[in-house]
Amino acid sequence: LVYAVTHELLPSAAAPVAVCLVLIVVRLVTRKPVTPAVSGFLGVLLAAGIAVYTGRAVDFFLVSIVKNVVFAVLYGGSALLGWPLLGVLLGLFLGEGTHWRQVPARRRVYAQATWLWCGMFLVRLAFQIPLFRDEAVEELGVASVPLGLPLYGLVLLLTWLIVRRVPVALPPESEQAGDAAGASRSVAVEPGAVEPDGVSGTVAERR
């Protein structure tokens, strides 16, 4: 957007770097996690550095294009191999491990969600590659807005709607441990096991 106004490379490359630095400072002041902001800053810094080094403003988008290619191959390839990446990641987070691969319905929704993410990266590339080839810097900048957070948010929502259709596939040992814990809790609070005044044993003896 800065390039559309100034048509100058250095200010256009410096502006997003400055914005990322401000976001990092804001997160530090508000005591929020800075990892997302730092990772974004490093990516923008690399993109700006490439553009300044080559002297071509359009090369600012080269990092984004390469990233989308890599992730499209990674997500699509993992789904084709029967190890959908989203299942691997969510399986670790949700405690499923790799047991979800033994549950056809769970495996199917993970594959569908993984293809959805692959599609997101391919949609981005469908816009970016032709515009990059034509060196349409301003159009790339405009297209990056809806193809960024709005598209990402939509994919997150659709992912949740897809995955939630099938219950979490916990390993048998995890389910048994949960059942045992539940049983022990129910025994501990079984009605009549302990009288409120703590003298049930004495009362029973007297009877």
Side-chain angles (χ1 to χ4, degrees), residues 23 36 42-43 46-47 55 67 70 76 93 101-103 117 143-144 148 164-165 170 177 182 190 192 206:
L23 291 176
L42 294 176
L46 177 60
K67 179 197 71 176
V70 170
F93 179 75
R101 298 190 74 248
Q102 302 176 31
V103 181
W117 281 75
S144 65
R164 72 187 292 266
R165 294 180 302 174
L170 293 175
E190 183 180 355
R206 290 177 180 175

Side-chain angles (χ1 to χ4, degrees), residues 97-158:
T98 58
H99 181 67
W100 55 267
R101 298 190 74 248
Q102 302 176 31
V103 181
R106 191 68 174 174
R107 182 172 179 174
R108 183 166 56 253
V109 295
Y110 276 147
Q112 292 171 352
T114 299
W115 280 117
L116 175 65
W117 281 75
C118 178
M120 178 185 71
F121 297 116
L122 291 177
V123 167
R124 289 175 174 174
L125 290 171
F127 285 91
Q128 288 179 321
I129 291 178
L131 293 175
F132 182 84
R133 184 184 56 217
D134 296 339
E135 298 189 11
V137 179
E138 297 176 14
E139 289 81 355
L140 275 168
V142 172
S144 65
V145 176
L147 294 176
L149 286 178
L151 180 59
Y152 178 77
L154 176 62
V155 169
L156 275 180
L157 174 61
L158 293 176

Side-chain angles (χ1 to χ4, degrees), residues 66-83:
V66 171
K67 179 197 71 176
N68 287 325
V69 169
V70 170
F71 279 117
V73 172
L74 190 60
Y75 276 82
S78 68
L80 288 174
L81 292 174
W83 284 87

